[in-house]
Amino acid sequence: DTGVSQNPRHKITKRGQNVTFRCDPISEHNRLYWYRQTLGQGPEFLTYFQNEAQLEKSRLLSDRFSAERPKGSFSTLEIQRTEQGDSAMYLCASSIRRLGASEQFFGPGTRLTVL
Amino acid sequence: GQQVMQIPQYQHVQEGEDFTTYCNSSTTLSNIQWYKQRPGGHPVFLIQLVKSGEVKKQKRLTFQFGEAKKNSSLHITATQTTDVGTYFCAGGTALNFGKGTSLSVTP
């Protein structure tokens, strides 16, 4: 499978715990994005990387959220001290940088439930 | 900041009827992309529009980008049950998605 993969697919945790999600993009894609989606809403941008550099981070993103892409390949998204409001589907997408924007390929997502 | 609004939020049609969803941005967009998300699935890229007034067609789907590059539309001719899903427009490099239009089709 040459698509974007995400692990785990589901995560249930208790409030206050830390969680970490992983995203493996399409191998030749140099851009990687994280989004959050709740029921009935469109994906909400969280952050994106070009290679290993984090180029943009949503101003709405709490400092409990941190993302890394250490070698410009896979990425991790960590949420510290989870809250019930963090329950959502976390989507990862990747693309190749071109002049202007280019299509993003989404992974299947990690569904987080905070009890 | 940039906001992308979509209408309608929901649309139910009989199979064979046409469907249109509209997307409006509070600011001028350098480009706009359209995605489709099936129930339980993830967004899948449909098309990107870049030029003012651009019109692109994919079989029964017609996409338009407004002259002012602040609005866009997706029109589906003669809907089929396979068209069911939520259609999102999104603008910018770090995509700002609208809330989407959820389409249901009755056979």
Side-chain angles (χ1 to χ4, degrees):
Chain A
D1 186 356
T2 56
V4 177
S5 62
Q6 292 186 245
N7 289 288
R9 295 291 306 276
H10 303 273
K11 179 70 177 178
I12 300 174
T13 191
K14 292 183 179 179
R15 189 176 52 187
Q17 297 295 306
N18 299 344
V19 294
T20 300
F21 309 141
R22 176 176 169 129
C23 172
D24 287 88
I26 294 172
S27 59
E28 63 268 26
H29 286 187
N30 56 2
R31 284 193 168 176
L32 186 148
Y33 310 78
W34 285 99
Y35 296 88
R36 174 172 61 190
Q37 186 176 27
T38 53
L39 194 63
Q41 302 294 316
E44 175 193 9
F45 169 75
L46 296 179
T47 188
Y48 90 93
F49 295 83
Q50 181 164 303
N51 300 313
E52 65 275 11
Q54 188 173 17
L55 295 189
E56 190 172 339
K57 187 175 177 181
S58 170
R59 286 173 292 176
L60 301 175
L61 200 59
S62 161
D63 58 7
R64 296 183 296 104
F65 287 68
S66 62
E68 294 182 341
R69 194 182 183 198
K71 297 183 179 179
S73 56
F74 73 92
S75 175
T76 57
L77 176 69
E78 181 183 17
I79 309 174
Q80 296 181 327
R81 303 181 304 281
T82 53
E83 302 172 356
Q84 288 185 327
D86 297 331
S87 295
M89 177 71 83
Y90 289 83
L91 294 165
C92 174
S94 69
S95 71
I96 294 179
R97 180 178 179 272
R98 297 195 185 105
L99 286 176
S102 58
E103 63 266 32
Q104 297 187 14
F105 294 81
F106 282 80
T110 294
R111 181 169 296 283
L112 173 66
T113 302
V114 182
L115 302 176
Chain B
Q2 181 182 87
Q3 290 190 357
V4 175
M5 310 292 289
Q6 271 186 266
I7 55 170
Q9 189 173 358
Y10 303 98
Q11 183 75 58
H12 174 76
V13 299
Q14 295 285 326
E15 190 172 24
E17 293 181 337
D18 292 356
F19 160 77
T20 304
T21 174
Y22 300 91
C23 178
N24 292 286
S25 171
S26 57
T27 59
T28 301
L29 299 169
S30 58
N31 66 84
I32 195 158
Q33 298 183 16
W34 285 90
Y35 289 78
K36 177 183 178 181
Q37 186 172 23
R38 287 200 164 96
H42 54 272
V44 174
F45 175 81
L46 294 177
I47 208 158
Q48 174 174 288
L49 304 172
V50 178
K51 299 177 183 177
S52 170
E54 189 170 14
V55 178
K56 286 188 176 181
K57 292 190 176 184
Q58 288 180 352
K59 297 183 180 179
R60 295 179 294 104
L61 278 60
T62 302
F63 303 85
Q64 291 188 324
F65 201 10
E67 294 290 341
K69 301 182 75 173
K70 295 180 73 173
N71 58 75
S72 181
S73 65
L74 158 60
H75 179 83
I76 302 178
T77 303
T79 54
Q80 300 176 358
T81 54
T82 53
D83 296 325
V84 166
T86 301
Y87 293 84
F88 294 101
C89 62
T93 300
L95 295 175
N96 287 297
F97 280 80
K99 288 188 176 183
T101 296
S102 178
L103 173 65
S104 59
V105 180
T106 302

